[in-house]
Amino acid sequence: MLRRVNRVVLIGTGFVGSSYAFALLNQGITEELVLIDLNKEKAEGDAMDLNHGLPFAPSRTKIWYGDYKDCGVADLVVITAGANQKPGETRLDLVEKNTKIFKGIVDEIMDSGFNGIFLVATNPVDILTYAVWKFSGLPRGRVIGSGTILDTARFRYLLGDYFDVDTRNVHAYIIGEHGDTELPVWSHADIAGTTISEWTKNKSAVNRDDLNQIFLNVRDAAYHIIERKGATYYGIAMGLVRLTKAILRNENSVLTVSTYLDGEYGHNDIYIGVPAVVNRNGVREIVELDLNEEEKAQFANSVQVLKKTMEPVFTKF
């Protein structure tokens, strides 16, 4: 009997999508990768270019330009398609135009017989992940957004750089909206098991203003990058590959993804970034951090901003 191979379908081969495909190939995570884009020639060119790198890849990956019928037996559909964030535009400004785009995409994917897992990266990611869940009819755990996985990575990187510690030994989360209302969970931030507050004791060069500025740099990172190069794509592509690996290899990894709350953190009917256990079935469970009162208030504000933005849009669908 032939072994069932993993198939990933990528919808959208723009900056984020093509960066994701390149990183996925380099890590040898899936056996099949299908590229779909409205710009057929661009997607065909990407497939050709990626295939030419196969002699240097760690394992064999079959890569081709396809269509929505290829989603029927896919394990994972990754959506990076949609309108891009422009300079001066917030992620939430994108909500209505991208929701319309997603309705058509998801309908075509579900018509193929798809019964796998959705991974959404297009902004505003929390709202569009909710849209995919609504439009697809799949269980909530099988529709995942990239959430604050990149914000958390930026947070860990900047803290590691500030304290001169390997970022892999920094454990800290950004939760909430992937955007302007996100928040740092300082109450659970630690370096090698030592809380940040303990770590900073007797270190005169460390002050709270520096730490607050680190968070602001995390929150506003996309704006700074967009001003300089027009778009962000390498970091989020690596985050999507990390999520793909956690799913296809059934890792039960804890990652800050956008997932559906049904009473967790005291909120309902919202997709938002929180730590969750991710495996072959999608989100296995949500990890509820014991937030302090300030963090609870900030998180509640993030939920309300998302719900207020979503409400006028979803009355049209």
Side-chain angles (χ1 to χ4, degrees):
M1 181 182 293
L2 292 175
R3 185 178 68 87
R4 171 81 170 83
V5 301
N6 290 313
R7 176 180 294 185
V8 174
V9 176
L10 170 65
I11 313 292
T13 59
F15 286 127
V16 172
S18 57
S19 298
Y20 166 74
F22 180 66
L24 196 66
L25 174 63
N26 272 280
Q27 295 190 35
I29 291 170
T30 187
E31 289 89 352
E32 293 184 348
L33 175 61
V34 186
L35 309 180
I36 298 175
D37 197 284
L38 280 175
N39 186 342
K40 179 180 177 181
E41 289 190 350
K42 167 67 166 63
E44 286 180 329
D46 275 330
M48 293 167 64
D49 202 1
L50 290 165
N51 276 313
H52 296 164
L54 278 172
F56 312 112
S59 61
R60 171 70 179 171
T61 304
K62 184 180 178 182
I63 306 168
W64 72 96
Y65 167 80
D67 57 37
Y68 288 107
K69 292 192 296 292
D70 293 309
C71 297
V73 295
D75 300 277
L76 179 68
V77 168
V78 180
I79 305 180
T80 64
N84 293 323
Q85 187 176 355
K86 298 176 182 177
E89 186 176 43
T90 71
R91 296 176 180 94
L92 295 180
D93 290 332
L94 299 174
V95 60
E96 186 161 355
K97 53 185 172 182
N98 274 337
T99 302
K100 291 178 181 176
I101 292 169
F102 268 47
K103 180 66 167 67
I105 290 173
V106 173
D107 284 350
E108 291 212 56
I109 292 169
M110 297 311 295
D111 285 345
S112 75
F114 175 69
N115 195 35
I117 294 170
F118 275 107
L119 177 53
V120 182
T122 309
N123 282 318
V125 68
D126 304 291
I127 296 173
L128 291 178
T129 307
Y130 184 94
V132 171
W133 172 64
K134 280 287 191 183
F135 298 154
S136 70
L138 289 175
R140 61 176 186 160
R142 299 228 309 274
V143 180
I144 306 170
S146 54
T148 51
I149 191 170
L150 177 56
D151 311 274
T152 292
R154 289 168 172 160
F155 195 36
R156 292 175 61 197
Y157 163 73
L158 289 174
L159 286 171
D161 185 59
Y162 182 73
F163 290 110
D164 195 22
V165 172
D166 187 337
T167 188
R168 292 169 296 184
N169 297 121
V170 178
H171 304 283
Y173 296 116
I174 299 290
I175 64 172
E177 173 211 352
H178 173 53
D180 297 338
T181 65
E182 65 188 33
L183 61 134
V185 187
W186 287 114
S187 62
H188 289 274
D190 73 75
I191 299 172
T194 303
T195 64
I196 293 293
S197 58
E198 285 292 323
W199 192 271
T200 56
K201 283 183 179 178
N202 304 317
K203 289 184 172 67
S204 58
V206 176
N207 64 70
R208 190 70 196 182
D209 288 340
D210 288 344
L211 297 182
N212 288 335
Q213 188 59 49
I214 283 173
F215 166 63
L216 294 178
N217 289 340
V218 168
R219 187 195 65 190
D220 299 336
Y223 299 125
H224 298 316
I225 294 170
I226 289 168
E227 284 172 3
R228 289 162 173 79
K229 56 179 275 187
T232 71
Y233 37 92
Y234 296 135
I236 187 57
M238 292 293 286
L240 291 171
V241 170
R242 178 69 192 92
L243 277 163
T244 300
K245 183 180 176 184
I247 292 166
L248 296 184
R249 297 187 179 175
N250 198 35
E251 287 186 343
N252 291 310
S253 294
V254 177
L255 299 163
T256 46
V257 296
S258 186
T259 189
Y260 185 85
L261 299 187
D262 187 22
E264 297 89 355
Y265 290 93
H267 298 281
N268 295 276
D269 196 32
I270 189 80
Y271 265 84
I272 197 165
V274 292
V277 179
V278 178
N279 64 19
R280 185 79 194 199
N281 295 315
V283 170
R284 191 190 79 189
E285 63 183 284
I286 291 170
V287 178
E288 288 197 69
L289 301 173
D290 184 16
L291 305 179
N292 63 32
E293 292 306 311
E294 180 183 7
E295 291 161 352
K296 287 178 182 176
Q298 290 175 319
F299 188 76
N301 176 62
S302 197
V303 168
Q304 291 310 309
V305 167
L306 284 171
K307 286 193 170 185
K308 185 178 179 180
T309 306
M310 290 167 56
E311 189 175 0
V313 175
F314 283 92
T315 58
K316 301 175 183 179
F317 293 93

